[in-house]
Amino acid sequence: MSFWKKRQTKQPRKLISKPDSPILDTTKSQTIDNEIKVTLEQIKKIFQKDVDFATREFQIAHKIPAVAVFISSLVDPDKINQDIIQCLQDKPLPKETSKRITQTILEDIISHCNVVEEMQLSTMLEGILRGKTVILIEGELHSLIFDTYKPEKRSSIQPETERVVRGPRDGFIEQMMTNISLLRYRLPVPEFRAEQMEIGEITKTRIAICYMDGIASKELVEEVRKRLSDITIDRILDAGYIEGFIQDNKYSPFPQIQNTERPDKAVGNILEGRVVILVDGTPFALIAPATFNQFYHTSEDYNERWLMTSTIRIIRFMALIFSLTFSSFYVTVLSYHPELIPAQFVVAAASGRVGVPFPVAVEVLLMEAAMEILREATVRMPQQVGGALSIVGVLVVGQAAVQAGFVSPITVVIIAMSTIGSFATPSYNAATAFRLLRFPLIVLAGSFGLLGLAVGLMLVINHMVSLRSFGVPYMSPVAPGNFEGIKDTFIRAPLNWMRKRPAETNPQSAGRLNAKNNSSSDKGGNSDG
């Protein structure tokens, strides 16, 4: 039985919000009039203060009055001029027909592939606000809505936050449909699904749930749908809004939903039975469920040879532990347990602290806080200034603090090494969690010594073991243990050894390699059963 079946997930707290839109609410029951002037006056009254609201009057087949209504900042003018207005003006209508004019245009005249008939005024207004063009025809109770939206978008370049030496150079952008095309380009199979829904009572942000039918667990997909549909808020401006609502533990410092800007990474997780959530307006995709080991893996790990990748993964994991514990261990040793290090190192550390007015714990806390301020300032400064600021902060400020006697030289080295270790974690939000946890560990180490540090680490580990992501244990496949999954945790085994998809996602199809690949790997001496 899957983990999410065993556990009853909490219902997200719904926010009390106002109706979607008072204007749309009042027009839901209204239909258009057969006189253009009446309907056009209603629409103009709503958009009268908008500088980008536009109308274009013309005649269908040079005899039937019509008007095009659109938002000029959202539409492609070439589509309106050539595909719609020019086509309707030049092509003649059949002389004798029992069809409505709109139906005749749809079936016999227009070649536009995305056009519908509509009577409701509220639906027309929503279409105009989505970049569509509404054609009102004199004497008709139906309008035609053409999709003429032209988004302003940037090129699909390599993400700044997830650069690789070897691998694809494209990345997600802000337009959701472009992001879906990047996924479908890599998954040209009919089993790939991209279901759309809208969240945000005012913004009406489009969300796409992407998964592989036949691989992703039906329970997982349904749970994702349920959590997304339970969200009630006025706006969704970024994927972070979604993440805050659908994660299992909102008070944990550890991220329980993975995010990525790389299509290849998203596709890899889809093929392992996970669900990818795309949000219109942001280049970040959400991956659920997420386990801890995913946050120090990169997509490049699967493009290099397994021995090199395994070595780098071990180094990353050691750097992660190093960044969490090095500062607090330094405080513990100097404050309570100097016998744990050789005498010459104790003498060097003690001589360096001569004249420092603060205890070791306070000194380290101040330096850690200063480093976090410097890091935040570097991130928020313009790119041309940020690099110079980091160098000035580390060299000038650090050296001046040592010479002034506020901190010891060895403390500066310890804090610098701890900070560098946090940079080795590929995931920014996972590294941030460990940076935050350094502060309580330093306090415990300064208060109770090695015992406080041990208790602090046990609390962190216990919390991580108790976490769930969509019901999946956060520390799987290590806890609970799964030998097949451990092949892709601290190390990355050769690809022909990893025959099955991760068991924690409960995939419908467990096999990754076909019988031919399995038999060839067995002949090559693979001892894995």
Side-chain angles (χ1 to χ4, degrees):
M1 183 183 293
S2 60
F3 291 108
W4 44 81
K5 282 185 177 179
K6 294 180 181 179
R7 177 178 176 273
Q8 183 178 0
T9 56
K10 285 186 176 181
Q11 295 290 337
R13 182 173 62 90
K14 292 193 175 184
L15 300 182
I16 300 175
S17 57
K18 296 179 180 179
D20 299 4
S21 166
I23 295 177
L24 293 178
D25 286 345
T26 56
T27 56
K28 278 184 178 178
S29 59
Q30 297 182 26
T31 58
I32 66 173
D33 197 276
N34 59 356
E35 292 187 15
I36 289 180
K37 291 183 179 180
V38 176
T39 305
L40 193 57
E41 284 299 321
Q42 289 180 292
I43 299 175
K44 283 184 176 180
K45 187 177 180 181
I46 295 171
F47 295 105
Q48 60 183 341
K49 295 182 180 180
D50 298 315
V51 67
D52 54 353
F53 175 73
T55 60
R56 167 68 161 86
E57 296 183 4
F58 64 99
Q59 289 187 337
I60 298 175
H62 300 287
K63 62 180 180 180
I64 301 177
V67 61
V69 184
F70 53 91
I71 301 291
S72 60
S73 60
L74 297 177
V75 301
D76 184 353
D78 292 335
K79 286 184 180 179
I80 298 176
N81 296 335
Q82 299 174 11
D83 298 347
I84 301 175
I85 295 179
Q86 185 177 355
C87 181
L88 292 177
Q89 283 179 331
D90 295 344
K91 291 188 178 181
L93 292 172
K95 293 182 179 180
E96 295 182 3
T97 178
S98 59
K99 301 177 184 177
R100 300 190 308 272
I101 295 177
T102 53
Q103 190 176 359
T104 302
I105 292 173
L106 281 175
E107 296 178 0
D108 303 329
I109 297 178
I110 204 73
S111 59
H112 200 285
C113 63
N114 197 340
V115 55
V116 294
E117 286 183 298
E118 184 56 53
M119 296 179 61
Q120 296 294 326
L121 183 59
S122 61
T123 305
M124 289 168 46
L125 295 175
E126 288 180 356
I128 293 172
L129 293 170
R130 290 285 188 186
K132 298 181 180 181
T133 298
V134 173
I135 303 296
L136 301 174
I137 303 172
E138 187 68 35
E140 281 292 316
L141 293 174
H142 291 76
S143 65
L144 294 174
I145 302 180
F146 293 82
D147 189 359
T148 54
Y149 179 54
K150 184 182 180 181
E152 296 294 334
K153 61 182 181 181
R154 58 184 175 88
S155 59
S156 179
I157 59 176
Q158 181 173 203
E160 292 290 335
T161 57
E162 295 178 273
R163 287 185 172 273
V164 296
V165 176
R166 181 178 179 181
R169 293 294 190 269
D170 56 347
F172 289 135
I173 62 174
E174 285 71 19
Q175 275 65 44
M176 187 182 75
M177 298 308 295
T178 303
N179 296 339
I180 293 176
S181 70
L182 292 174
L183 297 180
R184 199 172 287 281
Y185 167 72
R186 291 172 168 83
L187 294 171
V189 291
E191 288 78 13
F192 174 67
R193 299 283 181 263
E195 301 178 4
Q196 180 177 312
M197 61 189 304
E198 287 186 353
I199 302 178
E201 296 187 359
I202 294 179
T203 59
K204 301 291 185 184
T205 307
R206 294 183 298 169
I207 311 292
I209 305 173
C210 304
Y211 61 95
M212 281 291 289
D213 196 5
I215 294 181
S217 168
K218 294 181 179 179
E219 292 82 6
L220 172 61
V221 176
E222 184 59 35
E223 181 68 18
V224 172
R225 287 197 201 103
K226 181 178 180 298
R227 294 194 188 189
L228 290 174
S229 61
D230 286 339
I231 297 175
T232 304
I233 191 172
D234 59 345
R235 83 281 191 195
I236 297 292
L237 304 179
D238 186 78
Y241 287 70
I242 300 291
E243 183 178 356
F245 278 100
I246 65 175
Q247 61 187 350
D248 289 55
N249 189 335
K250 298 177 177 60
Y251 305 104
S252 174
F254 294 100
Q256 297 134 61
I257 307 293
Q258 191 180 17
N259 64 74
T260 183
E261 290 185 82
R262 297 191 62 86
D264 57 331
K265 187 173 183 178
V267 167
N269 282 276
I270 289 174
L271 292 175
E272 287 186 345
R274 295 183 176 88
V275 175
V276 169
I277 303 171
L278 300 176
V279 181
D280 197 18
T282 176
F284 287 92
L286 302 179
I287 301 172
T291 55
F292 174 70
N293 73 87
Q294 291 178 251
F295 292 98
Y296 61 90
H297 294 178
T298 67
S299 58
E300 192 176 14
D301 292 351
Y302 302 92
N303 302 331
E304 296 286 356
R305 295 179 59 82
W306 74 273
L307 190 58
M308 182 186 300
T309 296
S310 299
T311 305
I312 293 174
R313 278 191 181 180
I314 293 172
I315 292 173
R316 283 195 208 123
F317 186 73
M318 292 174 60
L320 187 145
I321 301 301
F322 187 80
S323 68
L324 176 65
T325 61
F326 198 38
S327 301
S328 53
F329 184 73
Y330 168 71
V331 172
T332 296
V333 169
L334 285 193
S335 300
Y336 295 94
H337 308 286
E339 69 278 0
L340 292 177
I341 58 176
Q344 58 268 30
F345 291 107
V346 176
V347 173
S351 62
R353 286 190 45 76
V354 174
V356 177
F358 307 111
V360 180
V362 176
E363 179 187 6
V364 172
L365 281 174
L366 289 175
M367 284 299 297
E368 287 282 7
M371 188 62 70
E372 291 300 321
I373 293 172
L374 179 62
R375 188 204 304 257
E376 187 67 16
T378 305
V379 171
R380 305 305 166 195
M381 289 292 289
Q383 187 175 3
Q384 294 81 358
V385 185
L389 176 65
S390 62
I391 295 173
V392 171
V394 171
L395 295 181
V396 179
V397 178
Q399 184 66 24
V402 171
Q403 291 181 353
F406 287 110
V407 295
S408 63
I410 192 171
T411 301
V412 175
V413 174
I414 294 297
I415 299 302
M417 294 296 294
S418 179
T419 303
I420 293 172
S422 67
F423 288 143
T425 304
S427 175
Y428 176 78
N429 50 0
T432 303
F434 280 93
R435 282 162 44 197
L436 293 176
L437 289 173
R438 286 209 297 257
F439 290 94
L441 286 180
I442 291 172
V443 173
L444 288 173
S447 302
F448 305 103
L450 193 59
L451 176 62
L453 177 59
V455 170
L457 290 176
M458 285 190 292
L459 290 175
V460 171
I461 294 172
N462 181 71
H463 173 68
M464 294 176 69
V465 171
S466 66
L467 278 180
R468 297 288 186 274
S469 176
F470 282 82
V472 175
Y474 196 59
M475 295 301 292
S476 59
V478 178
N482 178 272
F483 178 71
E484 188 71 27
I486 289 177
K487 297 176 185 177
D488 192 21
T489 51
F490 305 107
I491 64 169
R492 198 221 80 191
L495 295 177
N496 57 356
W497 288 13
M498 296 186 291
R499 302 178 180 177
K500 296 181 180 179
R501 295 185 174 90
E504 62 265 18
T505 61
N506 192 31
Q508 298 184 54
S509 175
R512 259 197 288 219
L513 297 178
N514 57 32
K516 182 179 179 180
N517 287 330
N518 287 340
S519 61
S520 62
S521 62
D522 290 339
K523 290 177 182 179
N526 178 19
S527 60
D528 176 40

